[in-house]
């Protein structure tokens, strides 16, 4: 596949807390880094996202007495999975994985910093209406096709891809450059959403040629 100046690689949440040893580790999370590095050399434009939660964030199980991680509760914006405390602003867990060496990234977009609402997608908070500003940034720069990699495939990567399509961008998820949580069949559900929305699944080899 030919990568052009209108393409952008969006690397989602490759942070210590989502990697082995972190507060919310994705199985084999570190394994995304080598394929991401291989892909990055093909792209003139790279964006990184960073989960950036306040202490006591409403998506943390610890903020809801009697609740445990991975339970669901009803929030004002719909159902919310409760997570272990993770990616708290200014902590080591919120830092990018040290082996992620994407010094050419042009933008680091922080999300999930509003205490009362979670943010999976790089484009919107979980109410599906509060924008992060990423769409405007991409449009201002003439970037029309997004390639997504990172953590986790069935949550933050997946919702970012779906929102990219909803906003009129072409969206390609690089499957081998992602790892999944797979909570209660979330991978299968997300891939069904991809099919409906027109999200394209590829391997990094399809881009590298």
């Amino acid at each position: 596949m030919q990568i052009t100046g209108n393409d952008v690689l969006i690397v989602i949440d490759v942070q210590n807390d989502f990697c082995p040893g972190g507060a919310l580790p994705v199985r084999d999370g570190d394994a995304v880094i080598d394929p991401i590095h291989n892909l990055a050399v093909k792209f003139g434009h790279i964006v990184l996202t960073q989960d950036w939660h306040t202490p006591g964030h409403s998506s943390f199980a610890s903020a809801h007495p009697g609740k445990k991680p991975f339970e669901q509760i009803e929030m004002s914006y719909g159902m919310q999975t409760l997570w272990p405390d993770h990616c708290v602003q200014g902590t080591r867990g919120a830092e990018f994985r040290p082996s992620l060496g994407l010094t050419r990234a042009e933008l680091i977009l922080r999300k999930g910093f509003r205490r009362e609402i979670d943010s999976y997608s790089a484009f919107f908070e979980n109410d599906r209406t509060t924008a992060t500003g990423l769409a405007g940034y991409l449009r201002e720069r003439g970037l029309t096709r997004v390639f997504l990699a990172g953590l986790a495939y069935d949550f933050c990567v997946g919702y970012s891809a779906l929102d990219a399509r909803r906003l009129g961008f072409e969206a390609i998820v690089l499957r081998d450059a992602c790892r999944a949580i797979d909570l209660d069949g979330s991978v299968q559900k997300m891939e069904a959403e991809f099919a409906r929305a027109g999200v394209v699944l590829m391997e990094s080899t399809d881009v590298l040629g």
Side-chain angles (χ1 to χ4, degrees):
M1 169 177 279
Q2 185 70 34
I3 300 302
T4 74
N6 300 115
D7 295 329
V8 58
L9 177 63
I10 302 179
V11 178
I12 305 287
D13 298 358
V14 183
Q15 295 166 258
N16 286 324
D17 269 346
F18 295 130
C19 290
L24 183 53
V26 180
R27 185 175 179 179
D28 298 327
D30 276 345
V32 305
I33 293 175
D34 282 347
I36 286 171
H37 285 166
N38 293 337
L39 287 160
V41 299
K42 291 281 188 177
F43 286 84
H45 306 289
I46 300 171
V47 168
L48 307 180
T49 73
Q50 190 175 21
D51 233 19
W52 198 247
H53 293 308
T54 57
H57 194 271
S58 64
S59 68
F60 296 165
S62 62
H64 304 273
K67 296 295 183 182
K68 296 178 181 177
F70 310 110
E71 291 184 21
Q72 289 200 325
I73 64 168
E74 182 77 30
M75 303 284 274
S76 62
Y77 51 86
M79 295 304 295
Q80 170 69 48
T81 299
L82 297 177
W83 305 105
D85 291 26
H86 66 280
C87 296
V88 175
Q89 297 170 4
T91 65
R92 182 184 176 278
E95 294 172 5
F96 292 116
R97 201 65 165 168
S99 53
L100 184 72
L102 298 181
T103 54
R104 286 194 304 109
E106 297 166 335
L107 176 71
I108 296 172
L109 181 121
R110 287 173 167 171
K111 59 189 180 64
F113 51 79
R114 295 178 174 88
R115 184 186 296 268
E116 297 307 320
I117 186 168
D118 205 3
S119 183
Y120 297 155
S121 169
F123 292 94
F124 290 100
E125 308 282 11
N126 282 8
D127 61 1
R128 323 301 299 138
T129 58
T130 303
T132 66
L134 180 58
Y137 173 86
L138 297 181
R139 287 183 177 131
E140 287 274 338
R141 302 204 59 210
L143 303 173
T144 56
R145 187 167 62 167
V146 301
F147 291 74
L148 297 114
L151 304 171
Y153 172 71
D154 44 340
F155 283 91
C156 295
V157 174
Y159 282 103
S160 298
L162 293 173
D163 280 341
R165 289 296 301 132
R166 184 158 67 99
L167 291 162
F169 297 96
E170 293 183 63
I172 296 161
V173 173
L174 299 158
R175 184 65 183 90
D176 62 315
C178 303
R179 290 296 183 276
I181 296 174
D182 203 12
L183 182 64
D184 298 327
S186 53
V187 167
Q188 185 177 6
K189 292 173 189 173
M190 183 58 71
E191 290 183 344
E193 292 287 334
F194 286 168
R196 281 191 287 271
V199 173
V200 176
L201 281 175
M202 287 187 179
E203 301 293 307
S204 59
T205 51
D206 296 324
V207 174
L208 297 171

